[in-house]
Amino acid sequence: MSAARIGAQVRALRMAAEVSGGELAKTSGISASMLSRIERGLVSPSVETLERLANGLGVPTSRFFSDQARRTDFCHVRAGQGVVVDRVGAVSDYRYELLGHLLSGNLFVEPYLVTLLSGADPYVTFQHPGLKFLYFLSGEVSYRYGGKVVEARAGDSLLFDATALHGIEAIHSGPVSYLSVVFTLRE
């Protein structure tokens, strides 16, 4: 990677951290003029200097070598514009609205807005690979995870290994809606 690219990364990380050049130079133990030359791509910093800068910014040294400008893993879904999907094994009257997707990387993330329609029944035998995060937006339910049952309502969240049986055991008040995000590794 060229000195100019590394310098641009150092500057971008410094700006994102809202730190002045003088402050970063001081916390990193390098001169302000050296930092300026690095950021302008005039010098190629040593590994030791990059480690000092990384420590000063609170980031791993590897961040200086990533090409942030070429990243394409970004998705913007406007309110109410998610894709309503029929999921394999979906339970009747559980509505899944896909809120985003990424095309790169080895982590597969599925963010859904789940809404229980008026005919929805409790269902406690969901089971699949990965980790699941739930954030309840409305309603009140009893949620089962393996042998444990918790009461969940708007503002509550759950995070768990989704390989165990899980799901809504009882609906106490509606309407019920929650954000469900499943994280799995791509094969």
Side-chain angles (χ1 to χ4, degrees), residues 21-88:
E23 290 171 320
L24 178 58
K26 185 175 180 179
T27 61
S28 300
I30 65 172
S31 70
S33 63
M34 173 59 88
L35 177 60
S36 175
R37 289 187 302 222
I38 291 169
E39 287 188 354
R40 291 182 290 144
L42 301 177
V43 296
S44 184
S46 68
V47 172
E48 180 182 347
T49 299
L50 287 175
E51 286 176 349
R52 288 179 177 197
L53 288 168
N55 288 335
L57 290 165
V59 300
T61 307
S62 62
R63 287 289 297 273
F64 299 129
F65 300 100
S66 65
D67 190 0
Q68 296 296 319
R70 293 186 184 178
R71 298 206 53 144
T72 59
D73 52 352
F74 176 80
C75 181
H76 176 209
V77 176
R78 294 202 180 275
Q81 300 289 314
V83 177
V84 176
V85 297
D86 288 327
R87 297 188 64 213
V88 173

Side-chain angles (χ1 to χ4, degrees), residues 113-125:
L113 173 59
V114 181
T115 305
L116 275 58
L117 303 177
S118 61
D121 290 321
Y123 187 83
V124 295
T125 57

Side-chain angles (χ1 to χ4, degrees), residues 92-110:
S92 178
D93 290 322
Y94 280 56
R95 180 181 184 267
Y96 292 87
E97 182 180 349
L98 183 62
L99 300 178
H101 68 281
L102 299 178
L103 301 175
S104 63
N106 63 352
L107 182 64
F108 188 63
V109 180
E110 293 177 281

